[in-house]
Amino acid sequence: MVHGELWTVKELFVYPNEYIYWSVQIVMYPFMTGLVAGAFVLSSLYHVFGIKELKDIARFALVFSFALLFVAPVPIILHLQHPFRGINNLMTPHFTSAIAAFGIVFSTYGAIVASELWFLYRRHFVSIAQPLKDKQDKTLGEWIKFFIFCSLTLGVYDVSDESLKKDEKAIKVLAGLGIPVACFLHGYAGFIFGSVKANALWMTPLMPVIFIMSAIVSGIALCMLTYILTMEARKFLSKRKKATQLGHQTSEELQSAEVNVIRMTAKYLLLFLVFAISLELLDLVFRGYTATKSWDVLRSVIYGKDFTNIFILQYTIGNLIPFILFLLPNLTIRRAVLAVVLVMFGVFMMRWNVVVGGQAFSLSFAGYMHYHLPIIPHDWETLKEGFFGALAVFLAPFGLFWIITKIFPVFDVKESH
Amino acid sequence: MNRRDFLKNTVKGVAGLGISAAAIEFLNPKDILANINKDTAKVRWAFLVNTYKCVGCGFCVKACKQENEIPYDANVTRTWVERYVITKDGKRYADTPKGARDGFITTKIEMGKDKFQEVKDEDIQKAFFVPKLCNQCENPPCVQVCPVGATYQAPDGVVLVDRTWCIGCGYCIMGCPYGVRFFHPKYHTAEKCNFCYHRITKGLKTACVQACPFGARQIGNIKDPNDPITKIILTERVGILKEEFGTKPQVFYIGLDREVK
Ligand code: SF4
Ligand code: SF4
């Protein structure tokens, strides 16, 4: 069977070789990079613009962005017909292609996040490595720990005020540098679609900007969600520990801190949500108004076949309802969780409607293709390009985050600055 | 992996890094050479389809599948034939069942999976067949978008795919406005018509040209003023498909109708 034939159903006149070639993993790809970029921008709001209220979530967002970073290329690799040749992209990049720069943009961005993290956690590394270094006869576990943290310090043990000041400066510069690079990383994912002139739905110069805005929205939403989840866990733990550990933050303290952070972050989320929706609507209105050759088929897809996906799932459930939930006064944690989940769902649907919607009509403009996501896998292809493949990609960053926080703890650490 | 293999691979890896660094330079000597060749090359393959002569027998499609080893029953094909039927009350139908591999054996129009539309003979205003294949565009978007350079254009204008280098991203399939590309069911790399490159470079005609009993398909060198197809393209009225994409197709059509998608 030809790739794509399994999940494509054709209707009316479709060219014989046309199938839905870009399936769910290509929906996951911009979704995941969007989360990376969004999380990073959120952390930079504090480091660069000094928005104090975001201090708590900033460190958290940065570490989370790092965890997401490793997962972002996975959907592409799962999508490739020859995943082991993916390295060719670095061997012979063909720069007229929007995908060719992926490796370069991506590693630049990764390097920035990693170095920012290093400056942020340098003091923490030293505080662990130093006492172990001085300690005589270490146990095996201590040796391992020493080895890890000693290498992480990169041999720099200077934690004088002066050097910490320098760290702070470096963080600021890196965070500042990171914003355009993060936007580029994601805007460029938008360009991959926006520059396909053969595809009537994708081809618009607005695509990169729309992608960046919705990326920031989804990134902030994900950070808020994970932040709430971890705070809840801490509250739970602190209740249990209360009796034994004095001086630990109490559950009430945590609660009020949490609400404050969430309310503040929600404001920024709303701001970017407004940008994102305005741009998307502008695009839609413009297409209808200019009504070029492709409009007939686009209209039948947008207002007909994909109506539920676009107007109900994406705009109403994914945008309008959370918008109202956030705007209502006295935002509670529970309401925030609901809103944040809906926002992420909305952004996911937006990606879905772009990627799958762009292939919902034939290049002949006289036929349609319907995508049926494979759920129960019965071979390797339906596993990796099916529901479970996508789910694995979505869940992986949470697991990674948990591992990474063992080295970069996000709570109760002394600031490097 | 033994030590020798390891060393070999290391050398390969380092060489690979070197190549990628070289590619960052904007002026790559090979590109320049290729561009010079483009203008001075003595051959530019072009194709001419006479839609008046096509009867939709599908011999070309069959011949192509066999010649180019595209699995016979796979629902993809390097070339195909479309049928257009326009009725007196202005309804337009088009189909290409199995790419017309077996010709058009029924008057029913295929309307998607297992759906057919009966059109009575007396209701038909006009009907005709249009063969399609890769246009070997002069400005090919499929070459532009390939991230690894696995799809490339030969100096004689034919766009080729390197099966050993294609990573199977499908970007070229998305980028081609004519929908001629697909993944080869066996090799899992991008696949498309290449004017039977292995034949034309040896002085033979393409398999489809040879198989067409009615002479609806012709291939030739558009740089040679004495080539029969060059003469027709220069002196008669010919059309191309989807001009608005700016791809500059090199497959020319006699008798192209505005209904052709
Ligand atoms: S017709 Fe499509 S595959 Fe052929 S050269 Fe043009 S863009 Fe490339
Ligand atoms: S599928 Fe192959 S030939 Fe096509 S763009 Fe990707 S790597 Fe290039």
Side-chain angles (χ1 to χ4, degrees), chain A residues 325-344:
Chain A
L325 286 178
F326 277 131
L327 274 188
L328 292 177
N330 293 328
L331 182 67
T332 59
I333 295 294
R334 216 170 280 175
R335 182 139 54 86
V337 169
L338 178 64
V340 151
V341 170
L342 289 183
V343 163
M344 278 171 52

Side-chain angles (χ1 to χ4, degrees), chain B residues 142 145-148 150-151 161 165-173 181 183 190:
Chain B
C142 55
V145 301
C146 178
V148 298
T151 280
V161 184
W165 203 250
C166 166
I167 59 177
C169 63
Y171 204 12
C172 55
I173 304 182
R181 285 179 168 250
F183 279 126

Side-chain angles (χ1 to χ4, degrees), chain A residues 32-51 54-55 57-66 68-69 109 112-113 116 171-172 174-187 208-209 211-224 265 268-269 271-273 275:
Chain A
M32 297 314 280
T33 50
L35 295 177
V36 177
F40 187 80
V41 169
L42 179 62
S43 84
S44 294
L45 284 178
Y46 165 69
H47 290 300
V48 180
F49 303 111
I51 302 172
L54 296 179
K55 184 176 169 204
I57 207 169
R59 167 188 296 270
F60 182 88
L62 187 65
V63 177
F64 206 77
S65 169
F66 194 58
L68 283 163
L69 192 70
Y109 178 69
I112 290 178
V113 177
E116 192 181 334
I171 292 174
K172 205 165 180 169
L174 284 170
L177 198 67
I179 296 180
V181 178
C183 288
F184 190 78
L185 174 74
H186 196 68
V209 202
F211 264 56
I212 291 175
M213 289 305 156
S214 49
I216 299 179
V217 170
S218 64
I220 296 181
L222 181 65
C223 285
M224 283 170 74
T265 321
Y268 288 92
L269 193 150
L271 181 76
F272 286 107
L273 190 60
F275 282 139

Side-chain angles (χ1 to χ4, degrees), chain A residues 88-96 100-101 104, chain B residues 19-20 23-24 146-149:
Chain A
N88 292 5
N89 198 13
L90 293 172
M91 305 272 272
T92 56
H94 184 237
F95 282 111
T96 55
I104 294 166
Chain B
I19 294 174
S20 68
I24 294 172
C146 178
V148 298

Side-chain angles (χ1 to χ4, degrees), chain A residues 77-149:
Chain A
I77 294 177
L78 287 180
H79 157 80
L80 291 184
Q81 291 287 293
H82 281 279
F84 295 115
R85 291 187 193 165
I87 192 72
N88 292 5
N89 198 13
L90 293 172
M91 305 272 272
T92 56
H94 184 237
F95 282 111
T96 55
S97 165
I99 297 182
F102 180 81
I104 294 166
V105 179
F106 195 76
S107 25
T108 314
Y109 178 69
I112 290 178
V113 177
S115 20
E116 192 181 334
L117 270 176
W118 185 74
F119 281 114
L120 196 60
Y121 279 95
R122 209 169 63 77
R123 183 172 174 181
H124 171 70
F125 298 151
V126 173
S127 72
I128 292 183
Q130 191 71 56
L132 284 174
K133 192 179 178 186
D134 301 338
K135 196 176 170 201
Q136 298 300 314
D137 30 78
K138 300 182 245 289
T139 63
L140 180 66
E142 281 173 335
W143 268 112
I144 296 175
K145 198 167 174 191
F146 172 67
F147 187 73
I148 294 176
F149 282 90

